[in-house]
Amino acid sequence: MNPEPAKRREFLLSIILGVWALMGLLLLIPASVYLFWPPRARKRSDWAEVGSLTQMPIGVPEQVVYRRNRADGWKVTSEKTSAWVVRTSDRDAIAFAPQCPHLGCAYHWDSSNKEFLCPCHASTFSLEGDVLSGPSPRGLDRLAVKVQGDGLLLGGVLSQGQEGERR
């Protein structure tokens, strides 16, 4: 009997099993890093600079268009958005989200009547964002506002209890 073929089979089988083990290990390392290693804490600012506060007239709403970063899990996207900003004094301003609270339509400033108007369902809002008429269930959603130097920064939407708060 020739013991040579058995050793050859065992050698080839050990090579195949070794390659499988190596491939499994190569797949296991990145999967375990993804699952068990926490992501690095990124220093991210939730504030977006929208312009100079000194360039805005006091008491007149101005629609500003700016870019903000939005994080969705691991993915961070830069998106273009807008807000309505009303400068109330030399160092203060209020900002409103650009959607009507009724159904999310875009509203605009009606300078002849001095009110915000949603053309879809005829909701009107005061300069402070309060409901004047129409089917809207609440006033305009406010955004967090911060002034640094003469720059105006906008944050996220404030909840109903935070309207007077500034971060």
Side-chain angles (χ1 to χ4, degrees), residues 47 91-93 144-147 158 162-167:
W47 297 95
R91 301 289 304 152
D92 290 317
V145 174
K146 185 167 37 171
V147 178
L158 297 173
Q162 293 179 309
E163 265 95 25
E165 242 180 66
R166 287 180 50 178
R167 295 186 198 173

Side-chain angles (χ1 to χ4, degrees), residues 18-31:
V19 169
W20 282 359
L22 182 64
M23 288 183 351
L25 186 63
L26 289 176
L27 291 174
L28 181 67
I29 291 171

Side-chain angles (χ1 to χ4, degrees), residues 63-118:
Q63 187 174 24
V64 293
V65 178
Y66 62 99
R67 295 198 76 75
R68 70 173 179 185
N69 290 331
R70 186 172 55 90
D72 184 14
W74 294 85
K75 182 180 179 185
V76 177
T77 55
S78 177
E79 61 186 10
K80 189 166 132 180
T81 188
S82 67
W84 283 93
V85 177
V86 181
R87 182 177 172 197
T88 56
S89 69
D90 288 341
R91 301 289 304 152
D92 290 317
I94 54 176
F96 302 107
Q99 302 88 11
C100 175
H102 178 233
L103 290 176
C105 306
Y107 59 88
H108 65 273
W109 174 249
D110 183 10
S111 57
S112 61
N113 293 328
K114 305 253 188 247
E115 62 190 15
F116 291 106
L117 170 67
C118 177

